[in-house]
Amino acid sequence: RERGITIKASAVCLRYRAVNGKEYQLNLIDTPGHVDFSYEVSKALAACEGALLVVDAAQGVEAQTLANFFLALEQGLTMIPVVNKIDLPNAQPDKTATQLEDIFGFSKDEILFASAKEGIGVREILERVISRVPPPKGNDQTSLQALVFDSSFDVYKGVIVYLRVFNGSLTRGKKIKFLGTGNVYEVLEIGIFTPHPKPVDLLSSGSVGFIACNIREAKDVRIGDTVTLLEQPTDQPLPGYKPSQPM
């Protein structure tokens, strides 16, 4: 957070037992809501199948709501509208819901009401995600295609790369290549966020997680880049990939 604005996207992997008795693995990414971070939001949305359009019940639809709606629309995501903070004294949930209907064309039945602070509506949101958002597609047996949607820096491990695996799989000890920069590294650590970092043996298609490769410079990792295996590289980079430009 900076000046009260969330500017870093966070990813978390959780298991949820639905009312139908089945257990689901949900990979959730919390994107910056501020309109100034549209690039970061667009790359995070590219890693998703669906999006929660969360609107403050006290503030209503804002410029950032419109901007993020159209970013999700461009990605073809399944969208679930949520009116949040209904517990606030100055909340106007019905007025906000009407704005969502009039501006975006959502039906009244589609809109969910919640209070993250009070835990109201959380189960309803998760159930809606399970029923409406399609599961990720992918093939573990093909060449690795993983999208870099965020990164952070650790003083001991270097750059921590946040990945969404679309095809193939990744294990520790493998050598990977960033198609945008051409840089090659060995994967020293692999894991997921639960929400704290948890080491795992494998990231397969559909997974969201992180890798550490002792990358010392943040500029060597580009958001939107495609990661593949050096020994079996893909010839089809993911949307967002940009080749490195000569200096």
Side-chain angles (χ1 to χ4, degrees):
R1 295 176 65 85
E2 183 175 305
R3 297 190 302 276
I5 301 171
T6 303
I7 61 173
K8 285 296 292 183
S10 298
V12 62
C13 174
L14 62 88
R15 293 191 175 275
Y16 170 70
R17 186 170 297 279
V19 294
N20 62 13
K22 295 181 180 179
E23 187 176 76
Y24 295 85
Q25 178 175 302
L26 304 178
N27 292 301
L28 309 176
I29 300 173
D30 177 30
T31 66
H34 200 273
V35 70
D36 290 345
F37 300 97
S38 60
Y39 178 79
E40 288 82 354
V41 174
S42 68
K43 295 311 172 189
L45 291 176
C48 301
E49 278 71 35
L52 296 175
L53 188 68
V54 182
V55 182
D56 191 319
Q59 298 180 352
V61 173
E62 300 180 285
Q64 62 201 40
T65 314
L66 283 164
N68 292 340
F69 172 84
F70 287 113
L71 287 174
L73 197 64
E74 289 174 5
Q75 300 283 359
L77 303 186
T78 299
M79 279 183 278
I80 300 173
V82 178
V83 177
N84 189 31
K85 300 185 180 179
I86 61 173
D87 60 298
L88 294 180
N90 59 337
Q92 296 180 300
D94 292 335
K95 180 181 177 180
T96 305
T98 300
Q99 289 181 333
L100 287 170
E101 293 177 54
D102 295 341
I103 298 173
F104 302 112
F106 291 115
S107 67
K108 189 174 183 179
D109 294 339
E110 289 182 277
I111 301 172
L112 299 174
F113 297 88
S115 166
K117 181 179 179 181
E118 301 293 335
I120 300 170
V122 174
R123 178 174 288 276
E124 288 78 6
I125 293 172
L126 293 175
E127 291 294 326
R128 186 68 60 85
V129 168
I130 289 169
S131 65
R132 288 207 55 205
V133 178
K137 300 177 182 178
N139 187 342
D140 291 349
Q141 307 306 315
T142 62
S143 299
L144 176 67
Q145 289 178 305
L147 175 71
V148 178
F149 67 86
D150 198 10
S151 66
S152 60
F153 189 82
D154 184 281
V155 292
Y156 301 106
K157 301 177 182 179
V159 180
I160 307 298
V161 183
Y162 294 24
L163 296 174
R164 155 68 197 273
V165 181
F166 281 84
N167 286 296
S169 59
L170 182 60
T171 56
R172 188 164 60 90
K174 293 288 187 179
K175 287 192 175 181
I176 57 171
K177 180 178 181 180
F178 290 77
L179 294 185
T181 62
N183 293 336
V184 175
Y185 302 97
E186 180 181 345
V187 178
L188 303 177
E189 184 178 347
I190 186 170
I192 59 175
F193 294 99
T194 62
H196 301 293
K198 176 184 176 182
V200 296
D201 297 325
L202 172 75
L203 286 179
S204 56
S205 60
S207 298
V208 173
F210 69 89
I211 58 172
C213 309
N214 197 28
I215 304 172
R216 306 315 301 178
E217 297 287 341
K219 63 181 177 63
D220 291 333
V221 177
R222 299 181 178 181
I223 308 304
D225 204 348
T226 297
V227 173
T228 190
L229 289 177
L230 184 63
E231 63 187 32
Q232 188 186 358
T234 180
D235 56 359
Q236 295 182 331
L238 297 166
Y241 156 83
K242 292 182 181 180
S244 58
Q245 300 295 324
M247 299 298 290

